[in-house]
Amino acid sequence: MASLRLMTSFDLCTGCKTCEMVCSLRSTGGFNANRALLRIEEDRQGFGADPVVCAQCQNPLCERACLFSAFERDERTGAIVIDSATCRGCGMCDRACPLHVIQKKGRKYVKCDLCGGDPLCVRFCPTGAITLIDMDTGRVGTARQGDKKEGTGA
Protein backbone atom coordinates (compact mmCIF):
# COMPACT_ATOMS: atom_id res chain seq x y z
CA MET A 1 0.00 0.00 0.00
CA ALA A 2 1.27 3.47 -0.90
CA SER A 3 1.73 6.09 1.77
CA LEU A 4 1.21 9.53 0.24
CA ARG A 5 1.03 12.71 2.29
CA LEU A 6 0.68 16.40 1.57
CA MET A 7 3.31 18.69 3.02
CA THR A 8 2.91 22.46 3.22
CA SER A 9 5.41 25.31 3.42
CA PHE A 10 4.06 28.49 4.94
CA ASP A 11 7.12 30.37 3.75
CA LEU A 12 6.19 29.68 0.11
CA CYS A 13 2.45 30.31 0.42
CA THR A 14 1.29 33.68 -0.89
CA GLY A 15 -2.32 33.22 0.19
CA CYS A 16 -3.58 33.25 -3.42
CA LYS A 17 -6.16 30.52 -2.59
CA THR A 18 -5.72 28.74 -5.92
CA CYS A 19 -5.56 25.46 -3.98
CA GLU A 20 -8.91 26.19 -2.33
CA MET A 21 -10.51 27.02 -5.67
CA VAL A 22 -9.37 23.86 -7.49
CA CYS A 23 -10.23 21.70 -4.48
CA SER A 24 -13.72 23.16 -4.22
CA LEU A 25 -14.24 22.74 -7.96
CA ARG A 26 -13.40 19.04 -7.72
CA SER A 27 -15.38 18.39 -4.54
CA THR A 28 -18.48 20.51 -5.26
CA GLY A 29 -18.39 21.34 -8.95
CA GLY A 30 -18.08 25.07 -8.29
CA PHE A 31 -15.62 27.67 -7.08
CA ASN A 32 -16.22 28.30 -3.39
CA ALA A 33 -13.21 28.47 -1.08
CA ASN A 34 -15.47 27.80 1.92
CA ARG A 35 -16.31 24.36 0.48
CA ALA A 36 -12.70 23.29 -0.15
CA LEU A 37 -11.30 20.31 1.74
CA LEU A 38 -8.30 22.40 2.80
CA ARG A 39 -7.93 26.01 3.82
CA ILE A 40 -5.50 28.89 3.89
CA GLU A 41 -5.05 30.44 7.32
CA GLU A 42 -3.75 33.98 7.29
CA ASP A 43 -2.07 35.52 10.30
CA ARG A 44 -3.86 38.40 11.99
CA GLN A 45 -1.55 41.02 10.56
CA GLY A 46 -1.99 39.69 7.01
CA PHE A 47 1.73 39.09 6.50
CA GLY A 48 1.67 35.34 6.11
CA ALA A 49 -0.47 32.44 4.97
CA ASP A 50 -0.36 28.77 5.90
CA PRO A 51 -2.10 25.98 3.94
CA VAL A 52 -3.92 23.57 6.27
CA VAL A 53 -4.46 20.13 4.73
CA CYS A 54 -5.54 16.70 5.94
CA ALA A 55 -2.56 14.98 7.58
CA GLN A 56 -3.77 11.49 6.53
CA CYS A 57 -2.98 10.41 10.10
CA GLN A 58 -1.66 6.95 10.89
CA ASN A 59 -4.14 6.66 13.77
CA PRO A 60 -6.88 9.09 12.70
CA LEU A 61 -9.19 10.54 15.31
CA CYS A 62 -11.86 11.06 12.63
CA GLU A 63 -11.93 7.34 11.88
CA ARG A 64 -12.02 6.38 15.56
CA ALA A 65 -14.88 8.82 16.22
CA CYS A 66 -17.05 7.47 13.39
CA LEU A 67 -20.02 5.58 14.81
CA PHE A 68 -20.68 3.77 11.52
CA SER A 69 -17.19 2.60 10.47
CA ALA A 70 -17.43 4.70 7.30
CA PHE A 71 -13.67 5.24 7.02
CA GLU A 72 -11.20 3.13 5.10
CA ARG A 73 -7.66 3.49 3.82
CA ASP A 74 -7.28 3.71 0.03
CA GLU A 75 -4.89 0.96 -1.07
CA ARG A 76 -3.45 3.02 -3.96
CA THR A 77 -2.71 6.22 -2.07
CA GLY A 78 -2.81 5.37 1.61
CA ALA A 79 -5.35 8.18 2.13
CA ILE A 80 -8.08 7.81 4.71
CA VAL A 81 -11.37 8.15 2.81
CA ILE A 82 -15.03 8.25 3.81
CA ASP A 83 -17.32 5.68 2.22
CA SER A 84 -20.34 7.75 1.22
CA ALA A 85 -22.59 4.67 1.22
CA THR A 86 -21.78 4.02 4.89
CA CYS A 87 -21.61 7.61 6.17
CA ARG A 88 -24.77 8.66 8.00
CA GLY A 89 -23.85 12.34 8.36
CA CYS A 90 -23.61 12.37 12.16
CA GLY A 91 -20.59 14.71 12.10
CA MET A 92 -18.56 12.96 14.78
CA CYS A 93 -15.58 12.79 12.39
CA ASP A 94 -15.69 16.54 11.83
CA ARG A 95 -15.79 17.23 15.56
CA ALA A 96 -12.86 14.86 16.19
CA CYS A 97 -10.54 16.19 13.46
CA PRO A 98 -7.95 18.46 15.09
CA LEU A 99 -7.34 20.25 11.78
CA HIS A 100 -11.06 20.74 10.98
CA VAL A 101 -10.67 19.82 7.30
CA ILE A 102 -13.73 17.56 7.00
CA GLN A 103 -16.72 19.15 5.27
CA LYS A 104 -20.41 18.35 5.08
CA LYS A 105 -21.60 17.85 1.50
CA GLY A 106 -25.35 17.39 1.37
CA ARG A 107 -26.17 14.91 4.12
CA LYS A 108 -22.77 13.23 4.19
CA TYR A 109 -19.23 14.21 5.12
CA VAL A 110 -16.23 14.33 2.81
CA LYS A 111 -12.51 14.81 3.30
CA CYS A 112 -9.37 14.97 1.22
CA ASP A 113 -8.74 11.76 -0.71
CA LEU A 114 -5.55 13.11 -2.34
CA CYS A 115 -7.49 13.30 -5.62
CA GLY A 116 -6.74 9.64 -6.19
CA GLY A 117 -2.99 10.23 -6.01
CA ASP A 118 -2.72 13.37 -8.17
CA PRO A 119 -3.83 16.22 -5.89
CA LEU A 120 -5.07 19.30 -7.72
CA CYS A 121 -3.84 21.55 -4.91
CA VAL A 122 -0.29 20.34 -5.57
CA ARG A 123 -0.63 20.51 -9.34
CA PHE A 124 -1.99 24.07 -9.42
CA CYS A 125 -0.10 25.74 -6.55
CA PRO A 126 1.93 28.42 -8.34
CA THR A 127 4.67 28.57 -5.69
CA GLY A 128 5.07 24.92 -4.72
CA ALA A 129 3.80 25.60 -1.18
CA ILE A 130 1.95 22.26 -1.22
CA THR A 131 3.88 19.14 -2.15
CA LEU A 132 3.04 15.45 -2.33
CA ILE A 133 5.45 13.11 -0.60
CA ASP A 134 5.62 9.35 -1.01
CA MET A 135 6.55 8.32 2.53
CA ASP A 136 7.81 4.93 1.29
CA THR A 137 10.28 6.24 -1.29
CA GLY A 138 10.84 9.81 -0.15
CA ARG A 139 9.92 11.15 -3.59
CA VAL A 140 8.51 14.65 -3.63
CA GLY A 141 6.23 16.10 -6.29
CA THR A 142 5.30 19.75 -6.80
CA ALA A 143 3.39 21.76 -9.37
CA ARG A 144 6.53 23.67 -10.26
CA GLN A 145 8.49 20.47 -10.96
CA GLY A 146 7.50 20.39 -14.62
CA ASP A 147 8.31 24.08 -15.03
CA LYS A 148 11.99 23.66 -14.13
CA LYS A 149 14.51 23.16 -16.87
CA GLU A 150 17.34 20.74 -16.22
CA GLY A 151 20.63 22.35 -15.35
CA THR A 152 19.21 25.86 -14.93
CA GLY A 153 18.13 25.67 -11.29
CA ALA A 154 15.14 27.78 -12.22
Side-chain angles (χ1 to χ4, degrees):
M1 173 185 344
S3 185
L4 303 177
R5 302 282 184 278
L6 294 175
M7 186 172 86
T8 64
S9 300
F10 72 90
D11 54 330
L12 295 176
C13 182
T14 63
C16 72
K17 299 185 182 276
T18 299
C19 56
E20 290 181 338
M21 291 297 124
V22 296
C23 179
S24 68
L25 179 62
R26 181 180 183 269
S27 65
T28 68
F31 293 108
N32 182 346
N34 294 323
R35 303 303 301 157
L37 303 178
L38 58 88
R39 71 179 176 284
I40 301 298
E41 288 187 349
E42 296 182 18
D43 69 16
R44 291 182 184 181
Q45 293 79 26
F47 294 121
D50 190 16
V52 179
V53 299
C54 177
Q56 304 298 343
C57 303
Q58 288 299 316
N59 189 16
L61 294 174
C62 57
E63 178 183 34
R64 293 192 335 219
C66 181
L67 303 172
F68 301 97
S69 301
F71 286 77
E72 57 193 23
R73 196 162 296 269
D74 184 303
E75 291 292 322
R76 283 190 16 250
T77 64
I80 289 289
V81 296
I82 301 173
D83 177 14
S84 63
T86 309
C87 177
R88 298 291 182 253
C90 70
M92 293 302 290
C93 57
D94 182 38
R95 289 183 201 100
C97 176
L99 299 173
H100 306 291
V101 289
I102 299 175
Q103 289 268 353
K104 191 162 191 174
K105 181 179 176 185
R107 295 181 181 197
K108 312 280 181 150
Y109 280 82
V110 293
K111 62 173 289 304
C112 175
D113 62 0
L114 298 173
C115 296
D118 185 20
L120 294 178
C121 58
V122 172
R123 194 179 338 155
F124 287 95
C125 178
T127 64
I130 304 175
T131 55
L132 182 68
I133 299 179
D134 185 325
M135 302 300 283
D136 297 330
T137 66
R139 286 193 346 214
V140 177
T142 68
R144 307 286 298 165
Q145 194 170 357
D147 295 343
K148 295 182 181 177
K149 294 181 176 37
E150 281 190 49
T152 65

